[in-house]
Amino acid sequence: VIVLIAVVAWTYFAEPSLRAALLKGWTRYFGIVILVCCLWYLPVYFRQPDSFVDEFLIRQNLGRLIGGDTAHSVPIWSHPIYYIAVLAVLAAPWPYYLRKVWPKRAVEDGDNSMIRRWLAKWAIVVFALFTVGGTKLPHYILPVLVPIAILVAIGWNETELTRLSRVAKGM
């Protein structure tokens, strides 16, 4: 929910041309996010309301974000580079394609430029949130792979897929 609000707010203020589209569709997207969260949160909350709020929401989520979990902390000097290193390993085959489709400026021509800008903002917000967070575990950054994977898929055109299939057949 926080990531969605941050990406919508960033897009709303940074790209006035997209405000109408955001206002038209944001309630639907926000509703879907809330529904998905409620499918898990509500049953757990109703079963153990006190421990859900105290343990899960405050200690596990907020506490880890502000660095209260010393078991999973990293040296302060590694905070800015920790997830860069993790992403370099997780997204190893993708940088070439990602470089081709990553938005270069605020407004681009093309049918999918708005989608590319939205996906880039999504990736940046998730990356920044967990980079700023005090506790670091490699799997925390996995949500950043979703927008990156979609951007890479946009970058794969028919020629490259054909070339990759020829290489695979030759193996």
Side-chain angles (χ1 to χ4, degrees):
V1 173
I2 292 169
V3 170
L4 178 62
I5 290 170
V7 174
V8 168
W10 182 8
T11 305
Y12 183 84
F13 290 111
E15 301 190 43
S17 64
L18 297 179
R19 287 182 182 169
L22 282 172
L23 291 175
K24 184 178 179 182
W26 80 271
T27 52
R28 184 177 350 154
Y29 305 133
F30 192 71
I32 291 169
V33 169
I34 293 296
L35 177 66
V36 169
C37 290
C38 286
L39 289 175
W40 187 81
Y41 287 160
L42 288 179
V44 174
Y45 174 77
F46 288 132
R47 181 168 175 143
Q48 299 175 332
D50 293 336
S51 62
F52 174 76
V53 172
D54 293 340
E55 177 65 23
F56 180 72
L57 291 181
I58 294 174
R59 186 167 170 263
Q60 295 294 328
N61 284 285
L62 187 60
R64 286 185 180 192
L65 185 64
I66 61 174
D69 183 6
T70 57
H72 299 109
S73 62
V74 297
I76 192 74
W77 61 265
S78 70
H79 277 248
I81 61 169
Y82 184 84
Y83 285 125
I84 292 172
V86 171
L87 277 178
V89 172
L90 292 176
W94 298 347
Y96 173 74
Y97 297 104
L98 189 59
R99 185 172 39 99
K100 288 175 61 176
V101 296
W102 192 267
K104 306 271 187 294
R105 54 185 197 254
V107 178
E108 294 181 350
D109 298 324
D111 294 337
N112 62 7
S113 65
M114 180 182 75
I115 294 168
R116 290 173 35 209
R117 291 191 313 271
W118 175 267
L119 291 167
K121 286 179 176 113
W122 176 6
I124 290 167
V125 165
V126 172
F127 184 82
L129 177 69
F130 289 108
T131 297
V132 170
T135 302
K136 306 275 191 269
L137 286 173
H139 66 274
Y140 286 179
I141 202 69
L142 289 177
V144 95
L145 292 179
V146 175
I148 288 175
I150 296 169
L151 279 166
V152 168
I154 291 170
W156 281 11
N157 63 31
E158 199 61 42
T159 307
E160 289 156 340
L161 289 175
T162 303
R163 183 184 61 81
L164 288 174
S165 67
R166 281 192 215 133
V167 170
K169 288 178 185 176
M171 294 182 143

